[in-house]
Amino acid sequence: MESKNSTVVTEFILLGLTQSQDVQLLVFVLILIFYLIILPGNFLIILTIRSDPGLTAPLYFFLGNLAFLDASYSFIVAPRMLVDFLSEKKVISYRGCITQLFFLHFLGAGEMFLLVVMAFDRYTAICRPLYYSTVMNPRACYALLLALWLGGFTHSIVQVALILHLPFCGPNQLDNFFCDVPQVIKLACTDTFVVELLMVSNSGLLTLLCFLGLLASYAVILCRVKGHSSEGTSKALSTCTTHIIVVFLMFGPAIFIYTRPFRAFPADKVVSLFHTVIFPLMNPVIYTLRNQEVKYAMRRLLSRHMMNLEQTGQMEEVNQSVVSEFIILGLCRSWELQAFFLVIFSSLYLITILGNIFIVLLIITDLHLHSPMYFLLANLSFIDICLSSVTTPKMIADFLKENKTISFGGCMCQIFFGHFFRGGEMVLLVSMAYDRYVAICKPLHYSSIMNRQMCIMLVMASWVIGFVHSISQLAMIIKLPFCGPRELDSFFCDIPLVIKLACMDTYIPEMLINADSGILSTICFIQLLISYSCILFTVCLHSKDGASKALSTCTAHITVVVLFFGPCIFTSLWPLSVTWVDKFLAVFYAVITPLLNPAIYTLRNKEIKNAIKRLQC
């Protein structure tokens, strides 16, 4: 540089996705959920391909490597972004920035080349089937794999080399949540026209050419199979459709970012979020939902795992049979009543989903609702959406069936997710009571106590405790032997009903389940009542306006608490028997309670009502 004493940038300040702390909290929770799905999803694909002898074809060898690349790619941006949400000052060192940029382009380009290799594999399999085994032999597969890793490394080294030669001596703010070429290159203290041109040629032009080449190759494949009509053609079309979806999701954001001059657009951050966080999730979702062979292999893997569990926990009798599915008797036997319930519960489910989604969107978009209380309320609405989706869709579908059955694995999943979301909601209601206690009883310390870190910790605690509670419940059930009756006199699987079908004395498991669910629910409920009693006692000593507002907010909370905990305590602590009261309460907390959240918070909360009025204006 011209002046010897010019300062050199040693770190960059990341401005992040948004400046609003409340929006950051909500995005943190959503991205954390995405990240926790990405890793297990991709590792499940790798485990399935490695363990299933039916998935030894080159296609699945490359798919396993694609899942590995996705898992690795998700480590580059998402963990640091989650940590930055908890930090007041978001900084990254110069070396850390260059390292992030290197691995981002290394793994991204490797994945791009891998998609080209997978297209070549499909072309050979469909258009040159007689030569497939000789062309795509193990040596060729490993050579192609080595080539794509070397191609990604070369591409990334070129990118980093162009960046390292630039001087950085002035501004150091990156208007993004991670380091990437378009943002970093604009901070250089020199004319970057030539460098930008080289970057566009290296990243943009290469991405565009690969994308067009992939579209052309898949067009040739689809034209080739169009004239045939057989099972092989249908299978080929299904596989190619899956690949094309992945190609569009991978290359679309990359083309938008790298094939144009490096100028900031409003959509840049959203596209970058999709490219770095959302897309790695798409691989396991698409390949498990669209690929029949992968789904069958996962079922075989699950079946083998369940068989191992059954063998370790089997009864002393060697020749006993094992229940593979349960028969659900439903709410009633009358077809007329079932048709009536079908209409009622379908309407309630639709209102529940739309109402809770509306609350979440309202809190995100209205600046007046960017406070800890409404952040927790948005998470409560999200949990209600998930909780209502555990049992209601299956119940609605069963109204249209004569034989209402659920597999053993499906029953265990329903129990797990039911207790997972219910336990999480229980802890979240305690968190909301704590928020109201601090706001009303310690108003001067509210902003320091209920800061961003505390809100995130409370939400994370609700998810972790819900998970631990659900795992402990499931561990008690899954080891029980089921060899005789298999009729559940209800519309979904729950522990009080399933445990009675076990072929052994269930006194000890019942006691443990009562201790885990019943006593825990009762203690939390009593604590909530005590905390709200303290709040109401405190507000009675203050001015009428403040007391009126506090009473209005707390009344809505207390109503939700009573309606949520009442049925849970009854079903957990009541003797484990099936009565019409049990069915009524089960319908209430599985279908009605998730609906009451949006209803109560829109009708009882003045700030929510005012936000709705502002939205209408």
Side-chain angles (χ1 to χ4, degrees):
M1 289 182 292
E2 291 181 4
S3 78
K4 293 183 180 180
N5 62 350
S6 63
T7 59
V8 178
V9 171
T10 59
E11 64 181 16
F12 294 104
I13 299 173
L14 301 173
L15 299 183
L17 280 174
T18 175
Q19 298 300 313
S20 171
Q21 291 190 355
D22 302 297
V23 175
Q24 286 183 27
L25 291 175
L26 186 60
V27 175
F28 171 85
V29 175
L30 295 177
I31 291 176
L32 180 63
I33 294 170
F34 274 116
Y35 189 63
L36 293 177
I37 294 172
I38 289 169
L39 292 182
N42 283 296
F43 287 138
L44 178 61
I45 289 179
I46 296 171
L47 179 63
T48 302
I49 292 172
R50 293 281 296 174
S51 61
D52 196 288
L55 300 180
T56 56
L59 167 68
Y60 299 105
F61 169 73
F62 293 129
L63 175 57
N65 282 276
L66 182 64
F68 175 75
L69 279 171
D70 274 330
S72 304
Y73 193 74
S74 66
F75 276 111
I76 300 171
V77 176
R80 178 170 184 86
M81 180 169 55
L82 292 173
V83 172
D84 283 340
F85 278 126
L86 304 176
S87 305
E88 290 292 334
K89 192 177 181 182
K90 304 173 179 64
V91 296
I92 184 171
S93 66
Y94 177 79
R95 291 183 179 180
C97 183
I98 297 301
T99 302
Q100 190 179 65
L101 193 149
F102 169 78
F103 283 104
L104 186 73
H105 285 269
F106 175 36
L107 297 174
E111 188 161 346
M112 180 176 66
F113 292 136
L114 182 56
L115 291 173
V116 175
V117 170
M118 293 175 75
F120 175 72
D121 171 80
R122 289 301 84 202
Y123 171 80
T124 308
I126 296 170
C127 299
R128 299 285 188 272
L130 298 178
Y131 300 97
Y132 182 70
S133 59
T134 55
V135 174
M136 297 302 296
N137 55 59
R139 182 177 296 180
C141 291
Y142 284 110
L144 290 171
L145 189 65
L146 179 62
L148 69 91
W149 282 99
L150 289 175
F153 180 80
T154 304
H155 163 76
S156 187
I157 280 292
V158 172
Q159 299 283 88
V160 171
L162 292 172
I163 292 289
L164 285 175
H165 285 86
L166 295 175
F168 295 95
C169 56
N172 65 340
Q173 288 189 343
L174 292 173
D175 191 13
N176 210 336
F177 55 92
F178 69 105
C179 282
D180 200 6
V181 173
Q183 289 80 33
V184 174
I185 202 172
K186 284 296 183 184
L187 300 181
C189 304
T190 183
D191 182 21
T192 58
F193 175 77
V194 176
V195 178
E196 286 187 30
L197 189 62
L198 292 174
M199 291 287 189
V200 170
S201 300
N202 185 22
S203 292
L205 188 61
L206 181 64
T207 303
L208 186 60
L209 289 176
C210 287
F211 178 65
L212 295 176
L214 283 167
L215 289 185
S217 64
Y218 281 117
V220 172
I221 293 172
L222 294 175
C223 290
R224 185 68 179 265
V225 301
K226 188 178 179 182
H228 299 76
S229 57
S230 62
E231 271 186 49
T233 301
S234 176
K235 184 178 176 182
L237 283 171
S238 176
T239 305
C240 288
T241 303
T242 304
H243 288 206
I244 292 169
I245 293 172
V246 172
V247 165
F248 271 99
L249 292 173
M250 170 71 183
F251 283 87
I255 291 172
F256 178 83
I257 295 171
Y258 300 114
T259 58
R260 58 180 173 82
F262 294 159
R263 295 174 184 172
F265 286 92
D268 284 348
K269 291 185 180 180
V270 177
V271 175
S272 297
L273 180 67
F274 185 87
H275 188 55
T276 57
V277 179
I278 308 300
F279 170 72
L281 171 67
M282 295 295 126
N283 180 20
V285 171
I286 292 171
Y287 276 105
T288 52
L289 296 179
R290 291 286 307 171
N291 193 297
Q292 294 294 332
E293 291 187 9
V294 174
K295 284 196 289 187
Y296 293 149
M298 286 184 176
R299 288 173 186 171
R300 289 193 293 267
L301 180 65
L302 181 61
S303 299
R304 287 200 302 271
H305 182 66
M306 294 303 297
M307 286 177 64
N308 291 334
L309 288 174
E310 290 166 3
Q311 287 173 1
T312 56
Q314 65 184 354
M315 296 178 64
E316 294 180 357
E317 296 129 3
V318 180
N319 60 349
Q320 69 172 6
S321 60
V322 178
V323 171
S324 60
E325 65 179 12
F326 295 103
I327 298 172
I328 297 175
L329 299 182
L331 285 175
C332 63
R333 302 295 180 87
S334 170
W335 282 102
E336 290 80 7
L337 282 176
Q338 288 188 36
F340 174 74
F341 287 144
L342 172 65
V343 176
I344 294 297
F345 291 136
S346 298
S347 303
L348 291 177
Y349 180 64
L350 183 62
I351 295 171
T352 300
I353 298 297
L354 295 178
N356 282 294
I357 290 176
F358 176 73
I359 285 182
V360 173
L361 294 177
L362 185 67
I363 291 171
I364 292 174
T365 56
D366 196 293
L367 296 176
H368 296 84
L369 301 180
H370 288 182
S371 64
M373 184 184 83
Y374 295 106
F375 168 72
L376 297 174
L377 174 58
N379 282 276
L380 181 65
S381 293
F382 178 74
I383 290 179
D384 276 329
I385 293 170
C386 299
L387 183 61
S388 64
S389 300
V390 174
T391 55
T392 310
K394 168 74 177 168
M395 177 178 62
I396 292 171
D398 283 341
F399 282 131
L400 304 175
K401 298 178 183 177
E402 261 188 65
N403 298 321
K404 304 172 177 64
T405 59
I406 186 171
S407 65
F408 182 81
C411 185
M412 294 301 106
C413 287
Q414 203 171 61
I415 289 174
F416 171 78
F417 285 107
H419 285 268
F420 175 38
F421 293 122
R422 216 171 293 141
E425 184 159 351
M426 181 172 60
V427 178
L428 191 59
L429 289 172
V430 175
S431 301
M432 293 176 74
Y434 176 71
D435 170 79
R436 289 301 84 201
Y437 169 79
V438 176
I440 295 170
C441 300
K442 298 182 178 180
L444 298 178
H445 304 282
Y446 181 72
S447 59
S448 59
I449 295 176
M450 292 303 296
N451 52 41
R452 181 174 59 180
Q453 289 86 347
M454 175 60 72
C455 292
I456 293 173
M457 286 176 59
L458 290 173
V459 172
M460 290 181 66
S462 69
W463 286 95
V464 171
I465 293 174
F467 179 79
V468 173
H469 164 72
S470 185
I471 281 291
S472 62
Q473 298 283 87
L474 194 64
M476 297 178 206
I477 290 290
I478 207 163
K479 291 184 177 181
L480 296 176
F482 296 93
C483 55
R486 57 195 182 105
E487 290 186 343
L488 295 172
D489 192 10
S490 186
F491 58 92
F492 72 108
C493 284
D494 202 6
I495 291 177
L497 305 173
V498 175
I499 200 172
K500 281 298 184 183
L501 302 182
C503 304
M504 63 173 289
D505 181 21
T506 58
Y507 176 75
I508 294 177
E510 286 181 21
M511 291 295 295
L512 292 173
I513 287 169
N514 282 339
D516 188 19
S517 291
I519 297 177
L520 180 64
S521 300
T522 305
I523 291 174
C524 288
F525 180 63
I526 292 172
Q527 288 179 340
L528 283 166
L529 289 183
I530 292 173
S531 64
Y532 280 119
S533 298
C534 293
I535 293 172
L536 294 175
F537 177 77
T538 302
V539 299
C540 289
L541 304 176
H542 290 72
S543 62
K544 292 184 179 180
D545 291 338
S548 176
K549 183 179 179 181
L551 283 170
S552 176
T553 304
C554 290
T555 304
H557 287 209
I558 293 170
T559 306
V560 171
V561 166
V562 173
L563 292 173
F564 179 78
F565 278 90
C568 288
I569 292 172
F570 181 87
T571 54
S572 299
L573 294 182
W574 200 254
L576 302 180
S577 59
V578 177
T579 63
W580 66 270
V581 178
D582 294 328
K583 288 188 179 182
F584 172 77
L585 291 176
V587 169
F588 192 85
Y589 73 72
V591 181
I592 307 299
T593 301
L595 169 66
L596 294 178
N597 179 20
I600 291 172
Y601 278 105
T602 52
L603 296 176
R604 293 287 306 170
N605 192 295
K606 291 183 179 179
E607 291 187 8
I608 292 285
K609 288 192 286 186
N610 292 334
I612 294 173
K613 291 177 182 177
R614 288 192 294 269
L615 186 65
Q616 291 174 346
C617 296

